[in-house]
Amino acid sequence: MPRVLASDGMDKSAIEQLKSLGYEVDVQFYEPDALGDALKDYDVLVVRSATKVRQPIIDKAVEGGRLKLVIRGGVGVDNIDVAYGREKGLIVTNTPAASSNSVAELAIGHMFSIARYIGIANATMRAGEWNKKAYEGTELAGKTLGLIGFGRIGRLVAAKANALGMNVLYTDIIGPAKDEVPCEFCDVARILSDADYISLHVPMADKPILGKDEIAQLKDGVFLVNTSRGGLIDEDALIEALDSGKVGGAALDVFSEEPCKNEKILSHPKISLTPHIGAATKEAQQRIGAEIVAIITENVPV
């Protein structure tokens, strides 16, 4: 009987389906120093964001000769040393389409939050304050949204933003989109200078995409949204720009350190915060689970 370890959990329906097909499924989180040895007894590892599958873990796991497949339930795979795993004979894959719409909707939701002060107004009202005059917001309609990264999620954000009446610019290392997209391809420099909102949809990079130098080039009062990867925005430079008014507001679902412990980030009134919940919808988790089941049954049959 093939054994599956879902170290960061998995949708209940997917677990039940795998068990009905003859797989044994364990849901248990292992610390890094124990994960490699534990994997010697499993055929499949399924992770989300919490579990990091690095070279030492892979080395330990393959010693057992049993592990065949590693799946990231989500879009990015930067918490897995993918190339190294494949060199060691493992199949390493993800579920890129399943959670895209959920992340795109959260990005749009955060734009509304920072445009209309929804988060801070909620908090101050609960503290007994009635700051109606302090929260004069702006509309999204007519504003320019700049998308850095134009994969599945970026395209969905573009479509939703267009429906709201926003003008959309985008840039991507692949170049202009080949299909008809009602938005304009440009370079990063134009997005930095012209966009009223900037939303990031790229993998983790060696350094921040928006560091101190890039933030200096932004349009005054710009709003920044990051539902992609922590570290893409220099958090210290962001705080400085928010305090000076260079950046009008920011929305963050991901952070350099998770859980986030940066008090300046956590307490800043111009930041809308969520705890890395881009894919945390019932629909996305069901789609991710179904895709995981399909991958497992194809590559590690009973």
Side-chain angles (χ1 to χ4, degrees):
M1 176 183 291
R3 301 187 70 207
V4 178
L5 174 63
S7 63
D8 299 331
M10 188 161 53
D11 187 70
K12 184 179 179 180
S13 62
I15 294 174
E16 292 175 350
Q17 187 176 358
L18 285 170
K19 288 182 177 179
S20 71
L21 293 170
Y23 294 86
E24 180 181 335
V25 183
D26 290 336
V27 181
Q28 181 176 345
F29 178 79
Y30 286 91
E31 295 295 338
D33 58 353
L35 180 59
D37 282 325
L39 287 173
K40 293 177 182 179
D41 295 323
Y42 290 94
D43 302 275
V44 181
L45 170 64
V46 180
V47 304
R48 291 177 65 184
S49 298
T51 298
K52 306 296 188 286
V53 189
R54 302 304 182 200
Q55 292 187 18
I57 290 172
I58 294 170
D59 287 337
K60 278 284 187 182
V62 299
E63 286 177 5
R66 185 166 180 174
L67 187 67
K68 305 175 185 68
L69 174 64
V70 178
I71 305 172
R72 160 74 162 95
V75 179
V77 289
D78 42 75
N79 57 322
I80 305 171
D81 287 341
V82 177
Y84 189 76
R86 290 172 178 167
E87 285 177 13
K88 293 295 183 176
L90 300 176
I91 301 169
V92 183
T93 188
N94 63 344
T95 60
S99 60
S100 297
N101 189 66
S102 294
V103 178
E105 286 192 1
L106 181 66
I108 294 292
H110 267 306
M111 290 180 204
F112 278 115
S113 181
I114 53 182
R116 298 302 305 272
Y117 301 100
I118 294 172
I120 187 62
N122 181 289
T124 55
M125 280 195 70
R126 291 175 185 273
E129 301 175 23
W130 185 265
N131 300 328
K132 182 175 181 178
K133 293 183 179 179
Y135 301 136
E136 182 182 54
T138 58
E139 297 180 0
L140 297 185
K143 303 301 187 300
T144 297
L145 169 63
L147 298 172
I148 299 180
F150 205 65
R152 291 179 177 87
I153 298 172
R155 290 171 187 239
L156 285 167
V157 173
K160 298 175 194 305
N162 270 295
L164 293 169
M166 301 186 82
N167 306 306
V168 182
L169 305 174
Y170 74 94
T171 190
D172 193 277
I173 59 172
I174 296 177
K178 294 181 180 179
D179 52 334
E180 282 191 28
V181 179
C183 45
E184 182 183 350
F185 176 79
C186 64
D187 59 17
V188 174
R190 183 174 171 202
I191 287 178
L192 297 182
S193 63
D194 290 5
D196 301 297
Y197 289 78
I198 295 176
S199 189
L200 305 180
H201 301 285
V202 294
M204 188 59 198
D206 295 334
K207 63 177 184 178
I209 297 293
L210 296 179
K212 189 169 185 176
D213 292 342
E214 291 77 18
I215 288 175
Q217 301 172 48
L218 296 175
K219 184 176 183 178
D220 289 346
V222 67
F223 293 94
L224 305 178
V225 180
N226 187 11
T227 57
S228 186
R229 289 290 179 267
L232 292 177
I233 301 177
D234 183 319
E235 292 179 353
D236 291 335
L238 173 61
I239 292 296
E240 183 178 335
L242 287 166
D243 289 343
S244 71
K246 178 67 177 179
V247 172
L252 305 176
D253 185 51
V254 290
F255 307 89
S256 298
E257 179 185 13
E258 295 186 358
C260 180
K261 298 175 183 176
N262 187 331
E263 286 299 326
K264 291 183 178 179
I265 293 287
L266 295 173
S267 63
H268 205 288
K270 292 184 179 180
I271 302 180
S272 175
L273 298 166
T274 46
H276 203 151
I277 58 170
T281 63
K282 292 179 180 178
E283 296 87 351
Q285 291 310 306
Q286 289 169 354
R287 289 192 296 265
I288 289 171
E291 197 167 343
I292 287 171
V293 171
I295 293 169
I296 291 174
T297 54
E298 178 181 353
N299 291 283
V300 187
V302 175

PDB file of all heavy atoms in Angstrom, residues 37-61:
ATOM      1  N   ASP A  37      14.399  11.518   7.767  1.00  0.00           N
ATOM      2  CA  ASP A  37      14.307  10.120   8.207  1.00  0.00           C
ATOM      3  C   ASP A  37      12.874   9.611   8.104  1.00  0.00           C
ATOM      4  O   ASP A  37      12.640   8.459   7.719  1.00  0.00           O
ATOM      5  CB  ASP A  37      14.813   9.982   9.645  1.00  0.00           C
ATOM      6  CG  ASP A  37      16.339   9.987   9.721  1.00  0.00           C
ATOM      7  OD1 ASP A  37      16.979   9.458   8.789  1.00  0.00           O
ATOM      8  OD2 ASP A  37      16.885  10.524  10.701  1.00  0.00           O
ATOM      9  N   ALA A  38      11.907  10.453   8.447  1.00  0.00           N
ATOM     10  CA  ALA A  38      10.502  10.030   8.377  1.00  0.00           C
ATOM     11  C   ALA A  38      10.109   9.667   6.952  1.00  0.00           C
ATOM     12  O   ALA A  38       9.345   8.715   6.724  1.00  0.00           O
ATOM     13  CB  ALA A  38       9.600  11.138   8.907  1.00  0.00           C
ATOM     14  N   LEU A  39      10.644  10.388   5.988  1.00  0.00           N
ATOM     15  CA  LEU A  39      10.264  10.174   4.595  1.00  0.00           C
ATOM     16  C   LEU A  39      10.786   8.853   4.025  1.00  0.00           C
ATOM     17  O   LEU A  39      10.352   8.442   2.938  1.00  0.00           O
ATOM     18  CB  LEU A  39      10.760  11.337   3.733  1.00  0.00           C
ATOM     19  CG  LEU A  39       9.990  12.650   3.913  1.00  0.00           C
ATOM     20  CD1 LEU A  39      10.665  13.776   3.154  1.00  0.00           C
ATOM     21  CD2 LEU A  39       8.547  12.490   3.463  1.00  0.00           C
ATOM     22  N   LYS A  40      11.677   8.195   4.721  1.00  0.00           N
ATOM     23  CA  LYS A  40      12.150   6.889   4.271  1.00  0.00           C
ATOM     24  C   LYS A  40      11.018   5.862   4.242  1.00  0.00           C
ATOM     25  O   LYS A  40      11.117   4.833   3.566  1.00  0.00           O
ATOM     26  CB  LYS A  40      13.278   6.397   5.179  1.00  0.00           C
ATOM     27  CG  LYS A  40      14.552   7.231   5.088  1.00  0.00           C
ATOM     28  CD  LYS A  40      15.605   6.728   6.077  1.00  0.00           C
ATOM     29  CE  LYS A  40      16.853   7.591   6.023  1.00  0.00           C
ATOM     30  NZ  LYS A  40      17.900   7.149   6.998  1.00  0.00           N
ATOM     31  N   ASP A  41       9.935   6.167   4.957  1.00  0.00           N
ATOM     32  CA  ASP A  41       8.811   5.234   5.042  1.00  0.00           C
ATOM     33  C   ASP A  41       7.610   5.675   4.211  1.00  0.00           C
ATOM     34  O   ASP A  41       6.512   5.130   4.367  1.00  0.00           O
ATOM     35  CB  ASP A  41       8.376   5.075   6.507  1.00  0.00           C
ATOM     36  CG  ASP A  41       9.454   4.437   7.362  1.00  0.00           C
ATOM     37  OD1 ASP A  41      10.158   3.544   6.859  1.00  0.00           O
ATOM     38  OD2 ASP A  41       9.597   4.852   8.530  1.00  0.00           O
ATOM     39  N   TYR A  42       7.803   6.658   3.329  1.00  0.00           N
ATOM     40  CA  TYR A  42       6.690   7.155   2.518  1.00  0.00           C
ATOM     41  C   TYR A  42       7.047   7.144   1.029  1.00  0.00           C
ATOM     42  O   TYR A  42       8.214   7.302   0.647  1.00  0.00           O
ATOM     43  CB  TYR A  42       6.314   8.576   2.938  1.00  0.00           C
ATOM     44  CG  TYR A  42       5.673   8.641   4.304  1.00  0.00           C
ATOM     45  CD1 TYR A  42       6.440   8.885   5.446  1.00  0.00           C
ATOM     46  CD2 TYR A  42       4.303   8.449   4.459  1.00  0.00           C
ATOM     47  CE1 TYR A  42       5.855   8.935   6.705  1.00  0.00           C
ATOM     48  CE2 TYR A  42       3.705   8.504   5.709  1.00  0.00           C
ATOM     49  CZ  TYR A  42       4.489   8.743   6.824  1.00  0.00           C
ATOM     50  OH  TYR A  42       3.905   8.783   8.071  1.00  0.00           O
ATOM     51  N   ASP A  43       5.999   7.007   0.206  1.00  0.00           N
ATOM     52  CA  ASP A  43       6.153   7.052  -1.247  1.00  0.00           C
ATOM     53  C   ASP A  43       5.920   8.455  -1.791  1.00  0.00           C
ATOM     54  O   ASP A  43       6.452   8.815  -2.839  1.00  0.00           O
ATOM     55  CB  ASP A  43       5.152   6.094  -1.905  1.00  0.00           C
ATOM     56  CG  ASP A  43       5.307   4.670  -1.420  1.00  0.00           C
ATOM     57  OD1 ASP A  43       6.146   3.944  -1.971  1.00  0.00           O
ATOM     58  OD2 ASP A  43       4.592   4.294  -0.474  1.00  0.00           O
ATOM     59  N   VAL A  44       5.097   9.225  -1.074  1.00  0.00           N
ATOM     60  CA  VAL A  44       4.693  10.553  -1.553  1.00  0.00           C
ATOM     61  C   VAL A  44       4.754  11.550  -0.397  1.00  0.00           C
ATOM     62  O   VAL A  44       4.330  11.249   0.717  1.00  0.00           O
ATOM     63  CB  VAL A  44       3.260  10.532  -2.115  1.00  0.00           C
ATOM     64  CG1 VAL A  44       2.854  11.919  -2.629  1.00  0.00           C
ATOM     65  CG2 VAL A  44       3.119   9.495  -3.223  1.00  0.00           C
ATOM     66  N   LEU A  45       5.271  12.752  -0.685  1.00  0.00           N
ATOM     67  CA  LEU A  45       5.228  13.863   0.267  1.00  0.00           C
ATOM     68  C   LEU A  45       4.417  14.989  -0.359  1.00  0.00           C
ATOM     69  O   LEU A  45       4.683  15.413  -1.488  1.00  0.00           O
ATOM     70  CB  LEU A  45       6.634  14.366   0.585  1.00  0.00           C
ATOM     71  CG  LEU A  45       6.711  15.680   1.392  1.00  0.00           C
ATOM     72  CD1 LEU A  45       6.106  15.498   2.785  1.00  0.00           C
ATOM     73  CD2 LEU A  45       8.158  16.180   1.492  1.00  0.00           C
ATOM     74  N   VAL A  46       3.414  15.459   0.386  1.00  0.00           N
ATOM     75  CA  VAL A  46       2.615  16.607  -0.043  1.00  0.00           C
ATOM     76  C   VAL A  46       2.844  17.742   0.949  1.00  0.00           C
ATOM     77  O   VAL A  46       2.672  17.559   2.154  1.00  0.00           O
ATOM     78  CB  VAL A  46       1.112  16.264  -0.094  1.00  0.00           C
ATOM     79  CG1 VAL A  46       0.308  17.482  -0.551  1.00  0.00           C
ATOM     80  CG2 VAL A  46       0.858  15.081  -1.015  1.00  0.00           C
ATOM     81  N   VAL A  47       3.246  18.911   0.444  1.00  0.00           N
ATOM     82  CA  VAL A  47       3.509  20.060   1.314  1.00  0.00           C
ATOM     83  C   VAL A  47       2.719  21.258   0.821  1.00  0.00           C
ATOM     84  O   VAL A  47       2.237  21.289  -0.311  1.00  0.00           O
ATOM     85  CB  VAL A  47       5.010  20.415   1.362  1.00  0.00           C
ATOM     86  CG1 VAL A  47       5.839  19.218   1.804  1.00  0.00           C
ATOM     87  CG2 VAL A  47       5.506  20.929   0.007  1.00  0.00           C
ATOM     88  N   ARG A  48       2.615  22.247   1.698  1.00  0.00           N
ATOM     89  CA  ARG A  48       2.080  23.543   1.296  1.00  0.00           C
ATOM     90  C   ARG A  48       3.210  24.574   1.476  1.00  0.00           C
ATOM     91  O   ARG A  48       4.203  24.505   0.792  1.00  0.00           O
ATOM     92  CB  ARG A  48       0.822  23.863   2.100  1.00  0.00           C
ATOM     93  CG  ARG A  48      -0.338  22.948   1.718  1.00  0.00           C
ATOM     94  CD  ARG A  48      -1.580  23.191   2.537  1.00  0.00           C
ATOM     95  NE  ARG A  48      -2.132  24.515   2.290  1.00  0.00           N
ATOM     96  CZ  ARG A  48      -3.175  25.004   2.943  1.00  0.00           C
ATOM     97  NH1 ARG A  48      -3.771  24.290   3.876  1.00  0.00           N
ATOM     98  NH2 ARG A  48      -3.631  26.213   2.655  1.00  0.00           N
ATOM     99  N   SER A  49       3.065  25.501   2.407  1.00  0.00           N
ATOM    100  CA  SER A  49       4.092  26.532   2.579  1.00  0.00           C
ATOM    101  C   SER A  49       5.008  26.271   3.764  1.00  0.00           C
ATOM    102  O   SER A  49       6.185  26.649   3.745  1.00  0.00           O
ATOM    103  CB  SER A  49       3.437  27.913   2.759  1.00  0.00           C
ATOM    104  OG  SER A  49       2.692  28.270   1.638  1.00  0.00           O
ATOM    105  N   ALA A  50       4.495  25.639   4.818  1.00  0.00           N
ATOM    106  CA  ALA A  50       5.257  25.524   6.065  1.00  0.00           C
ATOM    107  C   ALA A  50       6.456  24.600   5.943  1.00  0.00           C
ATOM    108  O   ALA A  50       7.538  24.892   6.458  1.00  0.00           O
ATOM    109  CB  ALA A  50       4.338  25.039   7.189  1.00  0.00           C
ATOM    110  N   THR A  51       6.297  23.485   5.272  1.00  0.00           N
ATOM    111  CA  THR A  51       7.391  22.507   5.165  1.00  0.00           C
ATOM    112  C   THR A  51       8.378  22.924   4.090  1.00  0.00           C
ATOM    113  O   THR A  51       7.994  23.204   2.953  1.00  0.00           O
ATOM    114  CB  THR A  51       6.833  21.108   4.829  1.00  0.00           C
ATOM    115  OG1 THR A  51       5.983  20.686   5.892  1.00  0.00           O
ATOM    116  CG2 THR A  51       7.958  20.105   4.660  1.00  0.00           C
ATOM    117  N   LYS A  52       9.651  22.968   4.458  1.00  0.00           N
ATOM    118  CA  LYS A  52      10.714  23.290   3.517  1.00  0.00           C
ATOM    119  C   LYS A  52      11.456  21.991   3.167  1.00  0.00           C
ATOM    120  O   LYS A  52      11.943  21.284   4.058  1.00  0.00           O
ATOM    121  CB  LYS A  52      11.694  24.298   4.126  1.00  0.00           C
ATOM    122  CG  LYS A  52      11.024  25.569   4.660  1.00  0.00           C
ATOM    123  CD  LYS A  52      10.365  26.370   3.560  1.00  0.00           C
ATOM    124  CE  LYS A  52       9.873  27.729   4.062  1.00  0.00           C
ATOM    125  NZ  LYS A  52       8.663  27.624   4.908  1.00  0.00           N
ATOM    126  N   VAL A  53      11.546  21.696   1.879  1.00  0.00           N
ATOM    127  CA  VAL A  53      12.175  20.448   1.428  1.00  0.00           C
ATOM    128  C   VAL A  53      13.518  20.800   0.794  1.00  0.00           C
ATOM    129  O   VAL A  53      13.624  21.019  -0.414  1.00  0.00           O
ATOM    130  CB  VAL A  53      11.270  19.693   0.437  1.00  0.00           C
ATOM    131  CG1 VAL A  53      11.840  18.304   0.148  1.00  0.00           C
ATOM    132  CG2 VAL A  53       9.855  19.566   0.996  1.00  0.00           C
ATOM    133  N   ARG A  54      14.544  20.863   1.639  1.00  0.00           N
ATOM    134  CA  ARG A  54      15.873  21.271   1.193  1.00  0.00           C
ATOM    135  C   ARG A  54      16.779  20.051   0.981  1.00  0.00           C
ATOM    136  O   ARG A  54      16.427  18.918   1.286  1.00  0.00           O
ATOM    137  CB  ARG A  54      16.488  22.234   2.210  1.00  0.00           C
ATOM    138  CG  ARG A  54      15.652  23.494   2.448  1.00  0.00           C
ATOM    139  CD  ARG A  54      15.394  24.245   1.164  1.00  0.00           C
ATOM    140  NE  ARG A  54      14.629  25.479   1.382  1.00  0.00           N
ATOM    141  CZ  ARG A  54      13.947  26.102   0.427  1.00  0.00           C
ATOM    142  NH1 ARG A  54      13.941  25.603  -0.805  1.00  0.00           N
ATOM    143  NH2 ARG A  54      13.281  27.204   0.693  1.00  0.00           N
ATOM    144  N   GLN A  55      17.982  20.326   0.469  1.00  0.00           N
ATOM    145  CA  GLN A  55      18.893  19.248   0.077  1.00  0.00           C
ATOM    146  C   GLN A  55      19.164  18.224   1.175  1.00  0.00           C
ATOM    147  O   GLN A  55      19.104  17.011   0.917  1.00  0.00           O
ATOM    148  CB  GLN A  55      20.209  19.836  -0.444  1.00  0.00           C
ATOM    149  CG  GLN A  55      20.065  20.566  -1.765  1.00  0.00           C
ATOM    150  CD  GLN A  55      21.388  21.003  -2.354  1.00  0.00           C
ATOM    151  OE1 GLN A  55      22.444  20.496  -1.983  1.00  0.00           O
ATOM    152  NE2 GLN A  55      21.339  21.938  -3.282  1.00  0.00           N
ATOM    153  N   PRO A  56      19.464  18.639   2.414  1.00  0.00           N
ATOM    154  CA  PRO A  56      19.725  17.627   3.452  1.00  0.00           C
ATOM    155  C   PRO A  56      18.538  16.696   3.691  1.00  0.00           C
ATOM    156  O   PRO A  56      18.717  15.500   3.941  1.00  0.00           O
ATOM    157  CB  PRO A  56      20.033  18.470   4.699  1.00  0.00           C
ATOM    158  CG  PRO A  56      20.496  19.789   4.166  1.00  0.00           C
ATOM    159  CD  PRO A  56      19.687  20.012   2.933  1.00  0.00           C
ATOM    160  N   ILE A  57      17.327  17.241   3.612  1.00  0.00           N
ATOM    161  CA  ILE A  57      16.127  16.417   3.794  1.00  0.00           C
ATOM    162  C   ILE A  57      15.983  15.443   2.637  1.00  0.00           C
ATOM    163  O   ILE A  57      15.677  14.256   2.822  1.00  0.00           O
ATOM    164  CB  ILE A  57      14.889  17.315   3.921  1.00  0.00           C
ATOM    165  CG1 ILE A  57      14.936  18.072   5.251  1.00  0.00           C
ATOM    166  CG2 ILE A  57      13.593  16.506   3.803  1.00  0.00           C
ATOM    167  CD1 ILE A  57      13.868  19.137   5.398  1.00  0.00           C
ATOM    168  N   ILE A  58      16.215  15.933   1.415  1.00  0.00           N
ATOM    169  CA  ILE A  58      16.137  15.068   0.242  1.00  0.00           C
ATOM    170  C   ILE A  58      17.164  13.948   0.324  1.00  0.00           C
ATOM    171  O   ILE A  58      16.870  12.777   0.038  1.00  0.00           O
ATOM    172  CB  ILE A  58      16.322  15.901  -1.043  1.00  0.00           C
ATOM    173  CG1 ILE A  58      15.142  16.862  -1.213  1.00  0.00           C
ATOM    174  CG2 ILE A  58      16.461  14.993  -2.261  1.00  0.00           C
ATOM    175  CD1 ILE A  58      15.321  17.887  -2.312  1.00  0.00           C
ATOM    176  N   ASP A  59      18.392  14.288   0.735  1.00  0.00           N
ATOM    177  CA  ASP A  59      19.447  13.266   0.865  1.00  0.00           C
ATOM    178  C   ASP A  59      19.037  12.157   1.815  1.00  0.00           C
ATOM    179  O   ASP A  59      19.208  10.964   1.529  1.00  0.00           O
ATOM    180  CB  ASP A  59      20.753  13.914   1.343  1.00  0.00           C
ATOM    181  CG  ASP A  59      21.431  14.735   0.263  1.00  0.00           C
ATOM    182  OD1 ASP A  59      21.167  14.477  -0.926  1.00  0.00           O
ATOM    183  OD2 ASP A  59      22.205  15.642   0.606  1.00  0.00           O
ATOM    184  N   LYS A  60      18.503  12.540   2.957  1.00  0.00           N
ATOM    185  CA  LYS A  60      18.054  11.543   3.939  1.00  0.00           C
ATOM    186  C   LYS A  60      16.917  10.705   3.379  1.00  0.00           C
ATOM    187  O   LYS A  60      16.880   9.479   3.524  1.00  0.00           O
ATOM    188  CB  LYS A  60      17.598  12.251   5.219  1.00  0.00           C
ATOM    189  CG  LYS A  60      18.713  12.635   6.165  1.00  0.00           C
ATOM    190  CD  LYS A  60      19.226  11.423   6.924  1.00  0.00           C
ATOM    191  CE  LYS A  60      20.232  11.845   7.985  1.00  0.00           C
ATOM    192  NZ  LYS A  60      20.774  10.668   8.688  1.00  0.00           N
ATOM    193  N   ALA A  61      15.956  11.382   2.753  1.00  0.00           N
ATOM    194  CA  ALA A  61      14.758  10.696   2.260  1.00  0.00           C
ATOM    195  C   ALA A  61      15.087   9.644   1.218  1.00  0.00           C
ATOM    196  O   ALA A  61      14.561   8.524   1.259  1.00  0.00           O
ATOM    197  CB  ALA A  61      13.785  11.713   1.695  1.00  0.00           C
TER     198      ALA A  61
END
